Amino acid sequence: MSEKVQSLLDLVAGGVPLHQGGEADIYRVSAKDHAYVLKWYKRASAFDLGTVEQIASLNADGLYKIREFGERDGHSYVVYDYIPGVSASELRVPVVVALFILRSLVATLETLKSKQLHHGDLNPGNIVLTANKGRLQPVLIDCGILGPGALAYAAPERFQGKSADEKSDVYSLGMLLFRLVYGSELVTADGYDEYAAKSLSIDCCDPSQVLYASGRFTVAEISALAPLWKATVRADVENRAEDLDELDEILEIALGKLTAGEAAVQKAVHDFVEGELQEKMRQKVPDPSEIALPYKIAGRQGKFCWWKVSFFLGLVLILIVLAVSVLKSGRSDVDDAGDLLLKKSRSLENFDELLDSVPSESTESGVDSSLLQDLPTPELRE
């Protein structure tokens, strides 16, 4: 019988909350000298187990690495490697960099597609921008969600209960592209029903007009992006790009209109990494030194119990050292006393020899007889 592997949840040495959401709470935790992210789902929320199982078996630079998943205390959870980077939701990026990011995401989605998988919740919060060997690397996280995901990025068919597929991911990529370059969502609404209604009428929305009205974009940038809106943010799936391959071609053409070649693209990306991205990454990351977790760690009382044991052992060691020191000190005093007694006894032996050399008449009276002759004789009275 194989031995049961201990859960990472029970090896956590510390944790700190990173984000609290309606679907799940996110924690950064440390275990086995590594940093992980724990996504702890609310009781009413869960994930597609089959999708998560397959993603856990994949190993791609643009995809998060799942280490453990399951259910605990009535909650679903996923543990994956902590990615040192910045959420795409925290940045507004240059157009060329945004197009580069989308091409990277498309490549990662192609990897998922080869396993008959789709993300289903493409939004800035599920994209971590990190520098891998000096190059910008967008990393997708949180695959396999049940439901439409972030409402501002969900395709119309997702509100109708349909599962995520390649076409719905294409729609979400278009909404994501707008958020990256503009800094806010193309569609805002109050609640599920309003988002669903606005997604059905998305064709009436003109992203190019919004960009132009902001005054922050050049005519060349607006012109290069226009074909992308027509290939992505469309209510009817038939009006979107046929597949991810076609979308990648449109992205490549847009980059060609804005740059003088691949070297220019890499220069723009490098400047972004060394500037805004590094500045964000230099911000202090919370140290998970305090346990702040939504579950009880099995098999131990907690960090304080180990502290008490360590303190007790240290105290015992100190007492042993003190006892040994006292014993050594006491033995030294006894040895000194013995030496003194030995010297005294030797002095007494010498004194006896001296007495033996003195005449008997002197020793009997204890006084020299010659001295007695000179003393006056007392008179006797009758």
Side-chain angles (χ1 to χ4, degrees):
M1 181 181 294
S2 60
E3 191 173 329
K4 185 178 179 181
V5 179
Q6 189 174 13
S7 169
L8 274 175
L9 297 186
D10 296 322
L11 297 175
V12 169
V16 61
L18 294 180
H19 174 73
Q20 290 184 326
E23 175 195 65
D25 295 333
I26 310 297
Y27 300 83
R28 180 172 183 255
V29 298
S30 60
K32 300 194 299 185
D33 298 325
H34 290 283
Y36 299 95
V37 172
L38 166 63
K39 185 171 184 180
W40 186 262
Y41 288 81
K42 303 296 177 62
R43 288 188 180 272
S45 301
F47 51 80
D48 185 340
L49 180 60
T51 299
V52 171
E53 283 179 339
Q54 293 186 68
I55 289 176
S57 67
L58 298 178
N59 189 17
D61 289 339
L63 191 65
Y64 70 148
K65 184 59 181 176
I66 296 177
R67 297 298 180 179
E68 185 175 307
F69 56 90
E71 186 173 317
R72 179 104 167 225
D73 300 336
H75 295 260
S76 298
Y77 73 90
V78 176
V79 179
Y80 57 89
D81 288 347
Y82 174 76
I83 305 166
V86 179
S87 169
S89 62
E90 299 181 37
L91 296 166
R92 184 173 71 85
V93 303
V95 173
V96 171
V97 177
L99 294 171
F100 174 88
I101 290 172
L102 238 67
R103 292 199 72 187
S104 298
L105 296 177
V106 166
T108 302
L109 292 171
E110 289 279 15
T111 301
L112 293 179
K113 179 184 172 182
S114 67
K115 303 294 182 180
Q116 288 76 51
L117 298 174
H118 308 284
H119 191 281
D121 189 20
L122 293 170
N123 71 79
N126 284 341
I127 298 165
V128 180
L129 302 179
T130 186
N132 184 9
K133 299 178 182 179
R135 291 174 55 88
L136 177 62
Q137 177 64 70
V139 181
L140 279 176
I141 63 174
D142 286 353
C143 301
I145 187 175
L146 296 174
L151 300 181
Y153 301 86
E157 62 270 22
R158 297 284 279 143
F159 289 99
Q160 300 167 9
K162 293 184 180 180
S163 300
D165 58 16
E166 188 173 9
K167 290 279 192 173
S168 65
D169 279 351
V170 165
Y171 178 97
S172 298
L173 285 171
M175 301 297 273
L176 173 63
L177 175 61
F178 183 87
R179 170 61 175 77
L180 288 174
V181 299
Y182 189 71
S184 60
E185 282 76 18
L186 178 62
V187 174
T188 58
D190 185 14
Y192 184 95
D193 293 337
E194 190 174 346
Y195 270 114
K198 285 192 174 184
S199 70
L200 289 172
S201 60
I202 193 67
D203 293 355
C204 299
C205 183
D206 186 357
S208 296
Q209 181 61 36
V210 177
L211 297 181
Y212 177 79
S214 71
R216 303 200 307 258
F217 301 87
T218 66
V219 173
E221 289 174 332
I222 295 172
S223 176
L225 291 170
L228 286 161
W229 312 134
K230 294 178 180 179
T232 56
V233 287
R234 288 294 177 262
D236 190 339
V237 295
E238 298 300 327
N239 293 332
R240 302 172 200 163
E242 183 178 351
D243 53 25
L244 292 168
D245 285 337
E246 182 181 355
L247 178 59
D248 187 58
E249 291 177 6
I250 300 173
L251 288 166
E252 186 178 15
I253 293 171
L255 278 170
K257 291 180 178 180
L258 296 175
T259 62
E262 183 63 23
V265 174
Q266 293 301 326
K267 173 67 166 56
V269 172
H270 177 270
D271 291 344
F272 171 75
V273 170
E274 295 300 318
E276 295 179 65
L277 185 61
Q278 290 295 340
E279 180 63 27
K280 281 285 185 179
M281 290 181 67
R282 278 193 290 268
Q283 294 179 0
K284 185 178 179 181
V285 177
D287 179 21
S289 57
E290 297 296 331
I291 293 180
L293 301 172
Y295 66 93
K296 183 179 180 181
I297 296 177
R300 71 184 190 190
Q301 295 297 321
K303 192 174 182 180
F304 181 68
C305 178
W306 286 108
W307 177 84
K308 289 195 295 184
V309 171
S310 300
F311 177 79
F312 176 75
L313 292 176
L315 183 60
V316 170
L317 181 61
I318 292 174
L319 292 175
I320 291 174
V321 172
L322 289 176
V324 171
S325 300
V326 170
L327 289 174
K328 286 184 177 180
S329 176
R331 184 176 297 171
S332 177
D333 292 343
V334 171
D335 291 343
D336 291 343
D339 290 342
L340 181 61
L341 289 175
L342 183 61
K343 290 179 181 179
K344 292 292 185 181
S345 64
R346 287 176 179 173
S347 298
L348 289 175
E349 290 176 358
N350 295 335
F351 182 70
D352 290 340
E353 294 176 358
L354 180 63
L355 289 177
D356 291 340
S357 64
V358 179
S360 61
E361 62 270 16
S362 298
T363 58
E364 288 178 357
S365 61
V367 182
D368 189 349
S369 58
S370 62
L371 295 176
L372 295 176
Q373 294 176 1
D374 297 331
L375 292 176
T377 302
E379 296 179 359
L380 297 178
R381 294 181 183 183
E382 294 181 356

